[in-house]
Amino acid sequence: MKATMELYLAFAITTATFALIPGPAMLYAAARTLAGGRRAGLMASLGLHLGGYVHVIAAAAGLALLFHAVPPLFMAMKLAGAAYLVWLGLSLFRDRDNTKRPTLAPLSAERAFAQSIVVEVLNPKTAIFFLAFLPQFVDASASLPVWAQLFLLGTTVNLTFSVVDIVCVFFASAVMSRLQRSRTSQRIMQRIGGSILVALGARLAFGDR
């Protein structure tokens, strides 16, 4: 039990570290806020959060099945995932475009919510991240089934990232509130928000696989 708690603590610290690194979801939520206001940003964050559970469930079900059916293959995937995470960490030292601001036309909060679910569900990098990250913290000797461990870990990741996204929404909203008196400033902020999303989409489509 102690070993399991220590493993989960290490997982929580690592997750928080990843969450604080500016990434696509964080910038997407900020961009939606800049383009449509706080409510649109919050609804976009909620959409991203709900869409994330598709990847959580898929990873938990698929990895648990693999663990029970072909343990050596699960271990191979775990090692491959570890290598991928090391590559991600090293890439942060040389990737100077990670905080680039991606532009959006304003949407209603409801449309921002629906669109954000689709954006997250169709994001292959989220799926790859879950497949690489979660197996590193599975304890085969724990009383909790593997699938339940994976679901718990995935839910923790999803919640942690969503909290950071919401903080970004409020920060972007505070910036907008100071600029609301100027129509020119509002148009500039909307274009900045839209540009962020265009850049993110291009990065996802044409970036390194």
Side-chain angles (χ1 to χ4, degrees):
M1 182 64 180
K2 182 180 179 180
T4 300
M5 290 304 299
E6 290 177 350
L7 188 64
Y8 186 79
L9 179 60
F11 164 78
I13 293 172
T14 307
T15 298
T17 301
F18 271 114
L20 292 173
I21 298 172
M26 183 190 298
L27 295 176
Y28 180 89
R32 275 294 172 209
T33 306
L34 295 175
R38 182 188 296 179
R39 187 163 184 267
L42 290 173
M43 292 301 285
S45 296
L46 178 59
L48 292 172
H49 181 74
L50 294 179
Y53 282 114
V54 173
H55 297 291
V56 172
I57 293 171
L63 290 171
L65 183 63
L66 190 63
F67 176 82
H68 290 292
V70 192
L73 187 56
F74 178 86
M75 181 57 64
M77 189 167 191
K78 181 174 180 178
L79 293 175
Y84 174 72
L85 293 175
V86 170
W87 178 83
L88 279 181
L90 293 175
S91 69
L92 292 176
F93 290 96
R94 65 176 186 274
D95 186 1
R96 299 184 183 276
D97 297 326
N98 198 46
T99 57
K100 269 191 176 178
R101 305 288 174 122
T103 304
L104 275 200
L107 290 178
S108 67
E110 291 72 20
R111 287 187 63 192
F113 169 72
Q115 190 180 82
S116 299
I117 294 177
V118 175
V119 166
E120 184 65 6
V121 169
L122 297 181
N123 185 354
K125 291 188 177 181
T126 301
I128 293 171
F129 178 77
F130 275 116
L131 291 174
F133 187 55
L134 300 186
Q136 312 307 318
F137 299 94
V138 170
D139 183 359
S141 64
S143 57
L144 203 62
V146 170
W147 70 265
Q149 291 185 57
L150 290 166
F151 183 78
L152 175 62
L153 294 172
T155 298
T156 301
V157 171
N158 208 25
L159 287 170
T160 303
F161 276 68
S162 292
V163 168
V164 175
D165 291 345
I166 290 172
V167 171
C168 288
V169 167
F170 278 97
F171 178 77
S173 177
V175 171
M176 279 200 71
S177 67
R178 293 177 177 272
L179 300 173
Q180 280 182 342
R181 295 179 182 178
S182 169
R183 289 188 177 181
T184 301
S185 297
Q186 288 182 42
R187 286 196 297 269
I188 290 173
M189 296 307 292
Q190 287 180 357
R191 289 171 182 172
I192 289 175
S195 297
I196 292 174
L197 296 180
V198 170
L200 286 175
R203 188 181 179 89
L204 182 62
F206 302 109
D208 293 338
R209 292 285 189 257

